Amino acid sequence: MSNWIPFEDATYLVEKAFVLAADKTAAVLEQAVITVFTGRGGKKGVSGTGRIRNILLVQLLEDHDDVDLILDLGGEFKYYLTSPDISGGKVFAPDTESSVQFSPTSPWRQIPEDEFDVLVEQLKIL
């Protein structure tokens, strides 16, 4: 699927974002935004940033090989990113928060609003 990004080039605020593991353990990604851009050959791309308590991300990655990301951009625009690339700070003090960057490694999947709400209710927030 080559045209999986339905947005124009711009930066978009994310209303809610969670990094989650297969067992529904999750951490909140705060102040998240995504940037949609057009790259080489006119191919669209997306990347994002947000703030997270580093220790929570480390905890998720210690217990699970892969983590996923869900994004709520408002209204019907809710997405599931499977195993995105995530990079961030290397400080692991319990109260430290830092910015992380993320980008999809495959096309994101749009989630119907009711399915998204059920998924969020099932999360075990760290």
Side-chain angles (χ1 to χ4, degrees):
M1 179 175 186
S2 59
N3 294 325
W4 56 272
I5 302 170
F7 301 108
E8 297 300 319
D9 289 8
T11 298
Y12 299 89
L13 293 175
V14 177
E15 290 186 8
K16 295 179 196 171
F18 302 91
V19 179
L20 69 147
D23 68 355
K24 305 266 192 309
T25 303
V28 176
L29 187 62
E30 298 175 343
Q31 301 173 355
V33 296
I34 62 165
T35 300
V36 176
F37 57 90
T38 301
R40 294 182 186 210
K43 184 173 179 173
K44 283 194 176 260
V46 65
S47 64
T49 61
R51 294 188 61 78
I52 195 166
R53 285 188 45 215
N54 296 22
I55 197 75
L56 299 180
L57 184 56
V58 169
Q59 186 177 343
L60 282 172
L61 291 170
E62 282 180 348
D63 296 338
H64 306 279
D65 291 335
D66 290 311
V67 292
D68 298 332
L69 186 63
I70 55 173
L71 304 173
D72 177 357
L73 302 177
E76 68 197 61
F77 301 105
K78 296 168 180 17
Y79 297 94
Y80 196 104
L81 288 73
T82 303
S83 300
D85 283 335
I86 298 176
S87 60
K90 305 281 189 260
V91 178
F92 306 121
D95 294 332
T96 301
E97 267 190 14
S98 68
S99 292
V100 295
Q101 297 79 41
F102 58 89
S103 59
T105 56
S106 61
W108 61 18
R109 176 177 62 90
Q110 189 168 7
I111 306 170
E113 288 182 69
D114 56 343
E115 184 181 325
F116 183 88
D117 292 340
V118 168
L119 178 58
V120 170
E121 287 176 19
Q122 293 173 347
L123 296 179
K124 295 172 261 178
I125 305 295
L126 296 173

